[in-house]
Amino acid sequence: MSRLTHAGLTATHWGNYYARKDENGNLRILPVDVDDEPSAIGQSLASIQDPRVRVAKPMVRLGYYKDRSRSDTTRRGKEPFVEVEWDEALAIAADALKAAKENGGNRGIYGGSYGWASAGRFHHAQSQVHRFLRTFGGYTDSVDTYSIAAAEVIVPHVLGMNAFVAGLESPTTQEVVEHCKRIVYFGGASTRNMQANPGGNGFHDANWHFDSIARAGIDVVNISPIRDDMRGTLKARWLPCRPNSDVAIMLGLLHTLIQDDLYDKDFVERYCVGFDKLADYVMGSLDGVPKDAAWAAGKSEIDAGEIKKLARLLSTERSLIAVSFAIQRAEHGEQTYWAAIALAAALGHMGLPGGGFLLGAGVGKMNTMQRRILPFSVGALPQGQNPVRDYIPLARVTEMLERPGGAFTYNGHNLLYPKIDLVYWVGGNPFHHHQDINRLRKAWANPKHVIVHEIAWTTTARFADIVLPCTAALEREDFAGGSLDNWLTPMQKVLEPYGESRSDYDIFTGIAEKLGLREEFTQGRSSDDWLHLLYDTTRTNASEVGIELPDFETFRDGPPIDLRPLFTDRELTIERFRAHPHAHPLATPSGKIELFSQKIADFGYADCVGHPAWFEKKEWLGNPLSKQYPFHLLSNQPYTRLHSQLDNGIVSQNSKVKEREPLRINPQDALAKGIKDGDLVRVFNSRGAFLAGAILSDALRPNVLQIATGAWYDFLDVEDPLSLEVHGNPNAVTNDIGTSSLAQGPSANSCLVDIEIYDKPRPPLNIFTPPKIIAKTDVDAGTAAAA
Ligand SMILES: Nc1nc2c(c(=O)[nH]1)N[C@H]1C(S)=C(S)[C@@H](COP(=O)(O)OP(=O)(O)OC[C@H]3O[C@@H](n4cnc5c(=O)[nH]c(N)nc54)[C@H](O)[C@@H]3O)O[C@H]1N2
Ligand SMILES: Nc1nc2c(c(=O)[nH]1)N[C@H]1C(S)=C(S)[C@@H](COP(=O)(O)OP(=O)(O)OC[C@H]3O[C@@H](n4cnc5c(=O)[nH]c(N)nc54)[C@H](O)[C@@H]3O)O[C@H]1N2
Ligand SMILES: [Mo]
C-alpha cells in the first residue's frame, strides 16, 4: 500500500516539520507548533529535490566502468560518469566487494563511514552499511567522533564514564538558577549549535534556558576568541583569549587557587587521586616553570590580574566550569577536558546543586536535559558482530590510506593500518568534513574501489567509482527518537523518490542478492516489516518501565509524542559519588577522579603524560610560524545548515557573500589588509587555499578568522593537486594531525593561515552543477563523448 500523502510530518536532526506541496508543486515547510524556537534550517528542505544537485540514476566513473580493478584511480573526481541501470550497478558493486575480499580479505574494506546522514531509526545510514558489511564478513571500522574524539578517550580515564554521559552530568538550568553564582564558559555556549541534536529534536528551548540564567543575575564569563557565541541577555564578560590557550588559563587559575590556599582540600583528598602531583607541576617544582597567572597571561593574552581575580571569585561561591566541544577539536585537545575537570575539582563544587562542570556547552541538547534521560531504549536496526578486529581512530583515515601496514598508537594500543582496497561510504561527506582535503584527495587514489550512496552530488560522490542514488528522508517512511530528544516522531513519506533513487536498505538488499546474502541481510523482512519491528521493540521497552505507547498504526499517522512527562528525574552519578564515595565509586582504576592517571603515565607518551599539562602547539599564535601565517583560523559549525547538508538550500544560500561561505574578520585586521565588508578574500597556507566572502566583525579578537564548515568543496582546477577551493571550505587549509598519541582525534581548530583580497576575476562555482554524465551507448560505441 502506498502511503504517499503529499502532506506529512517529518523529523530532522534540527527539528520536526510539516511538509506539503502547494498548488504550484512547491514544497512548503512548517515547523510543528509545539516548537517554541524552531530552527530556520528547515526551510531548506524545500530544495530537497533540487535537480541541480540530486543523483537521479546509478553512476559509474568512466575509467572504472571500462577497467574495474585495473582502472587509473588517480582519475577519480576528474572523469565523467556513465549512467547505468540498477541491475548492472548492483552487479558492479557486488563484484567490487568480492574482488576486494579475495585480494586482501575483509580487513581491506574500510566501512567506518562516519557521518550524520538523516534522522530516522530504520533508515539510519551507518546502521545499514555496518549491518550489510558484517553480513559480508566484516570491515575495518572507525572509532570515536569528529565531535569529541579527544574527550571520548580522556574522560573515561578521569571520570570512569563515557564523555557523552559525562556531558549529561551537569546541573540543570533550574539548579543553576537556584544555586550557582558564576559560570565560566570556555568557548561560549552557542545557541546556533543548539539547533541540532543527533536523531531528532522535538522542540527547541535554548533561549529560554539562557534567559532564565540571565534573569537570575548569575555572573557569566566567556573565555573565547569569539564574543558572540553566547546569548546577549547573559551580558557575559568577554575575555578574548588566543585560540588553543585554554589549558594555560586553567592551569593559571589552579596556580592562584593553590598559592592563595583557596582550593577545596577536603574535596581533592576525598574524591580525587593525584592532586599533589598536579600541584607540583602547576607550582613548577617538576620543570622549574610555575604555571602562574603571569605565565598563563603570556600564553593566552588574558591579563594576569584578570586570571587571579577570576580564581578568587570562583573559589568564594558556587561555580560552574563549562567547556564547548570545539576547544578539544585541536592539538592536545585531551588536555582541555582534563584540565577543566581538574579546575572544577579544585573548586570542590562537583556533585552539589548548580555547580561543578558542564562538558559540551552549547551543543545540541547536551546541557538542557540532563536529568530527563529516556529510561528505555528506542528500537534500532541490529548490526550484528563485526568479524574484523581492525579499526582506526576516525580522523586518521587519510593516514591509513597513505601508509598501509604503518604503525600508530591509540589509547595505549600499538596498532597497524590495514591495506585498504575498497572504501564504502554511506551517510557522510568526508570531502567536506575531513581536515586537509588536498592530502585526503591524494591518498584517496590508493584504494582500488570506492562505493558511495548519496542523495546529492557532493564532492565525496564525485570522488567515487560507483555512486548509488539514495532517497531523502521525505521520500520514505520512518520514525525518529533521538538520544537526548525525549520525543518520538513519525516520519511520513511526503514525496515520491527522486529519479530512480532507492533507500540504503533497498540498495543493500539488491547487492546482497547478487552476493547470495539476501536472506541473511533482510531476514526476510521488507522495510515496512522492519519499521513495525523497531517500533514494537520501542513499545515493549517502554511498557517494561510503565510507559504505554500507542500501536504503530495509530502512531504513524499521529503527532509527535512528548515523552518527558512520562518519566521522572534521575540522580547523577557524580552526586551519588559525592554522597557515598565508597558505596558508589567511579569506574576509574582508583574509584576516584583521576587528576593523575598511572595508566596514562604508563603509556609513556611524550605528548600526553600522567596529569593535565600544557604542551606547545605546532600551529597557534604563540609560535614563530605565526610570523609567516599571522591568523588563527577557527572553523565552527554553521548557523544555516547541518554541516554540509542542504548547502544548496535557501537558508544556506541566503547567507553567502558573493556566492561564497562568509568568513568573519576583525575590522582592525581587515583595515591592515585592505579588506572591506563583502570583499572576496583568499585564505591560504602551505597546504592549500580557499575563497570566501569577508564580513567585518568586532566579535572576533584580532588575528582570528572564523568560517563555518560545510560549504561543498569546489576545486578551481581538479587536476591541480593544490587547487584553489573556490567556495569557502576551511578544510582546504586545516591540519590533518591527531590530537596526541592518546586519542588521535581531529585537530581542525589548530590552524594558521594568511589572508588577502582576491582581485582576480571571480571564478564560477561548479559544485551545484552535476558532473559530466554520459550514456552507456556512447561508451560502448566508443564515441567522442566518452573519450
Ligand atoms: N574544519 C572543520 N571540519 C569539521 C568540523 C569542524 O568544526 N571544523 N566539525 C566536524 C564534526 S564535529 C562533524 S560531526 C563532521 C560532520 O561531517 P558529516 O557528518 O560527514 O557531514 P554531513 O554534511 O552531515 O554529511 C552527511 C551526508 O549524508 C548524506 N545523507 C543524508 N541522508 C542520507 C541517507 O539517508 N543515506 C545516505 N546514503 N546519505 C545520506 C547527506 O547528503 C550528506 O552528504 O564534520 C567535521 N569536520
Ligand atoms: N546549526 C548547527 N548546529 C550544530 C551543528 C551544525 O552543523 N549546525 N553540528 C553539531 C555537531 S556535529 C557538533 S559536534 C556540535 C559542535 O559544537 P562545538 O564544537 O562546541 O561548536 P563550534 O561551533 O565548533 O565552536 C563553539 C565555540 O568554540 C569556540 N572556540 C573554538 N576554538 C576555541 C579555543 O581554542 N578556545 C576557546 N576558548 N574557544 C574556542 C568557537 O569560537 C565557537 O565560538 O554542534 C552541533 N550543532
Ligand atoms: Mo560533530
Side-chain angles (χ1 to χ4, degrees):
M1 179 189 65
S2 167
R3 297 188 49 81
L4 181 67
T5 57
H6 293 290
L9 179 62
T10 196
T12 70
H13 297 297
W14 58 88
N16 291 338
Y17 300 86
Y18 286 100
R20 77 175 162 81
K21 278 199 167 171
D22 67 15
E23 50 287 353
N24 302 320
N26 296 322
L27 201 58
R28 299 275 162 204
I29 308 293
L30 203 69
V32 291
D33 52 14
V34 292
D35 195 343
D36 294 338
E37 303 166 11
S39 163
I41 298 173
Q43 296 310 319
S44 285
L45 285 171
S47 307
I48 196 68
Q49 294 197 332
D50 183 346
R52 299 174 310 150
V53 306
R54 284 297 291 267
V55 187
K57 275 190 77 141
M59 303 281 171
V60 182
R61 178 173 65 84
L62 178 61
Y64 190 85
Y65 186 72
K66 291 180 177 164
D67 300 328
R68 304 293 178 88
S69 292
R70 284 167 288 101
S71 83
D72 177 358
T73 52
T74 65
R75 300 309 297 157
R76 282 192 189 114
K78 303 169 186 169
E79 285 182 334
F81 283 92
V82 184
E83 195 173 77
V84 300
E85 297 306 320
W86 268 109
D87 192 59
E88 187 177 5
L90 297 172
I92 295 174
D95 285 347
L97 284 157
K98 279 190 280 190
K101 190 180 185 125
E102 273 161 31
N103 195 33
N106 281 77
R107 71 191 289 260
I109 298 171
Y110 182 61
S113 192
Y114 181 80
W116 270 57
S118 295
R121 300 298 296 183
F122 171 60
H123 293 289
H124 181 246
Q126 273 67 39
S127 306
Q128 294 284 348
V129 64
H130 292 159
R131 177 180 171 82
F132 170 76
L133 289 174
R134 286 170 195 195
T135 309
F136 184 62
Y139 59 97
T140 290
D141 205 354
S142 63
V143 294
D144 305 330
T145 62
Y146 277 86
S147 312
I148 49 164
E152 279 169 279
V153 178
I154 192 74
V155 171
H157 287 291
V158 181
L159 293 175
M161 60 179 91
N162 168 293
F164 288 99
V165 171
L168 306 173
E169 286 286 314
S170 46
T172 64
T173 298
Q174 189 60 32
E175 290 151 7
V176 169
V177 163
E178 284 171 22
H179 302 279
C180 183
K181 294 289 180 261
R182 185 162 289 105
I183 312 179
V184 179
Y185 288 97
F186 289 88
S190 85
T191 51
R192 161 173 56 84
N193 289 351
M194 294 170 85
Q195 294 179 91
N197 187 57
N201 209 347
F203 86 138
H204 299 78
D205 59 353
N207 291 342
W208 177 85
H209 282 272
F210 290 120
D211 292 349
S212 308
I213 292 172
R215 274 194 301 275
I218 294 164
D219 182 33
V220 176
V221 178
N222 179 21
I223 302 183
S224 176
I226 296 176
R227 185 186 63 221
D228 59 357
D229 270 343
M230 192 93 251
R231 180 132 170 101
T233 51
L234 289 169
K235 299 205 166 52
R237 197 153 57 86
W238 183 33
L239 301 182
C241 66
R242 273 181 179 158
N244 296 185
S245 69
D246 302 86
V247 172
I249 300 168
M250 292 165 184
L251 294 173
L253 291 167
L254 276 168
H255 188 279
T256 302
L257 294 177
I258 298 168
Q259 190 172 49
D260 295 359
D261 208 17
L262 299 171
Y263 68 99
D264 188 331
K265 282 180 216 61
D266 182 55
F267 188 88
V268 296
E269 206 145 289
R270 287 184 60 180
Y271 300 103
C272 305
V273 288
F275 186 78
D276 48 340
K277 289 202 175 75
L278 175 61
D280 283 349
Y281 168 76
V282 169
M283 302 317 283
S285 37
L286 295 181
D287 57 2
V289 182
K291 315 299 176 298
D292 59 14
W295 171 88
K299 301 286 180 208
S300 62
E301 295 186 341
I302 300 298
D303 181 66
E306 282 284 357
I307 295 173
K308 282 191 187 155
K309 189 174 89 187
L310 185 59
R312 290 183 192 123
L313 284 172
L314 283 170
S315 68
T316 53
E317 294 164 304
R318 185 73 46 87
S319 60
L320 186 61
I321 303 299
V323 286
S324 74
F325 278 2
I327 68 165
Q328 58 77 67
R329 206 175 299 115
E331 209 187 342
H332 310 297
E334 295 88 347
Q335 307 307 318
T336 59
Y337 273 46
W338 205 355
I341 294 166
L343 175 60
L347 293 169
H349 304 146
M350 274 187 207
L352 295 178
F357 59 74
L358 189 162
L359 308 180
V363 178
K365 285 194 162 165
M366 287 292 289
N367 312 111
T368 54
M369 307 288 300
Q370 303 82 354
R371 285 180 193 267
R372 287 289 168 111
I373 305 301
L374 213 57
F376 63 88
S377 57
V378 180
L381 185 71
Q383 297 179 20
Q385 290 290 322
N386 185 1
V388 173
R389 291 274 138 260
D390 297 79
Y391 67 89
I392 58 162
L394 85 173
R396 299 327 300 137
V397 57
T398 296
E399 200 172 271
M400 169 185 72
L401 298 176
E402 282 171 348
R403 294 202 292 124
F408 67 99
T409 61
Y410 173 75
N411 201 17
H413 304 286
N414 295 315
L415 302 163
L416 300 178
Y417 290 120
K419 180 176 184 334
I420 298 302
D421 224 33
L422 185 150
V423 173
Y424 209 133
W425 221 295
V426 178
N429 188 4
F431 275 77
H432 109 76
H433 77 220
H434 192 57
Q435 285 58 69
D436 195 353
I437 284 181
N438 285 327
R439 185 175 157 199
L440 171 67
R441 174 159 68 120
K442 186 158 178 254
W444 194 258
N446 292 346
K448 291 200 175 86
H449 321 268
V450 176
I451 310 177
V452 168
H453 299 189
E454 249 299 349
I455 295 172
W457 279 117
T458 59
T459 317
T460 303
R462 289 164 200 252
F463 275 76
D465 298 324
I466 306 169
V467 184
L468 302 174
C470 175
T471 50
L474 279 168
E475 299 161 355
R476 59 200 187 203
E477 192 177 357
D478 210 331
F479 73 99
S483 47
L484 316 182
D485 183 30
N486 294 336
W487 289 70
L488 280 178
T489 306
M491 297 170 67
Q492 291 154 1
K493 178 177 167 183
V494 179
L495 302 170
E496 282 300 339
Y498 184 81
E500 295 185 15
S501 60
R502 296 181 179 179
S503 70
D504 293 310
Y505 182 70
D506 288 345
I507 298 171
F508 285 128
T509 302
I511 302 174
E513 168 99 55
K514 302 275 179 206
L515 295 168
L517 296 169
R518 184 191 171 106
E519 192 55 31
E520 218 175 323
F521 176 68
T522 65
Q523 292 182 0
R525 293 193 179 95
S526 67
S527 290
D528 210 49
D529 295 337
W530 279 110
L531 212 53
H532 271 88
L533 179 70
L534 265 46
Y535 181 81
D536 288 343
T537 308
T538 309
R539 197 168 170 226
T540 308
N541 294 348
S543 117
E544 276 166 11
V545 293
I547 297 175
E548 295 313 319
L549 295 175
D551 64 28
F552 186 59
E553 301 306 329
T554 312
F555 168 71
R556 76 185 339 179
D557 291 321
I561 302 176
D562 184 358
L563 298 164
R564 290 167 304 167
L566 308 179
F567 59 96
T568 51
D569 286 355
R570 70 196 168 113
E571 192 184 20
L572 303 179
T573 305
I574 213 83
E575 289 171 337
R576 249 190 330 196
F577 168 63
R578 179 166 192 137
H580 308 285
H582 298 293
H584 298 291
L586 297 178
T588 55
S590 61
K592 296 181 176 186
I593 299 166
E594 302 228 337
L595 303 183
F596 179 86
S597 162
Q598 189 60 50
K599 201 168 163 193
I600 293 180
D602 290 345
F603 293 161
Y605 298 142
D607 53 0
C608 183
V609 297
H611 55 78
W614 168 259
F615 295 91
E616 286 301 328
K617 297 54 274 7
K618 291 195 184 73
E619 291 194 27
W620 77 305
L621 294 172
N623 75 9
L625 191 64
S626 67
K627 293 208 168 51
Q628 192 180 354
Y629 298 115
F631 292 89
H632 195 122
L633 179 74
L634 294 179
S635 43
N636 60 305
Q637 313 297 321
Y639 179 66
T640 57
R641 298 183 294 271
L642 178 73
H643 317 125
S644 71
Q645 299 192 36
L646 295 167
D647 191 22
N648 58 309
I650 184 167
V651 184
S652 180
Q653 287 301 312
N654 281 346
S655 76
K656 305 268 176 175
V657 176
K658 293 206 164 68
E659 300 177 286
R660 325 287 144 156
E661 194 64 19
L663 170 131
R664 295 202 298 172
I665 179 170
N666 177 288
Q668 218 175 295
D669 293 329
L671 187 68
K673 289 280 182 184
I675 294 167
K676 295 183 301 306
D677 212 64
D679 278 347
L680 199 58
V681 290
R682 175 175 169 269
V683 175
F684 61 97
N685 60 20
S686 60
R687 291 179 288 269
F690 66 83
L691 298 185
I695 292 183
L696 274 49
S697 168
D698 66 2
L700 269 67
R701 54 156 276 153
N703 298 99
V704 167
L705 304 176
Q706 180 224 334
I707 187 169
T709 51
W712 289 9
Y713 203 99
D714 197 349
F715 298 94
L716 177 68
D717 173 10
V718 74
E719 299 287 348
D720 173 0
L722 285 181
S723 171
L724 177 68
E725 196 284 326
V726 298
H727 193 197
N729 188 306
N731 287 321
V733 297
T734 50
N735 199 5
D736 178 13
I737 52 164
T739 48
S740 82
S741 309
L742 185 83
Q744 301 277 14
S747 307
N749 281 328
S750 295
C751 177
L752 290 179
V753 294
D754 202 355
I755 184 171
E756 64 184 14
I757 282 260
Y758 188 77
D759 48 17
K760 299 201 184 101
R762 206 200 301 181
L765 293 183
N766 294 313
I767 199 69
F768 297 130
T769 313
K772 189 168 175 211
I773 293 165
I774 57 183
K776 233 183 85 164
T777 45
D778 286 340
V779 185
D780 296 341
T783 56

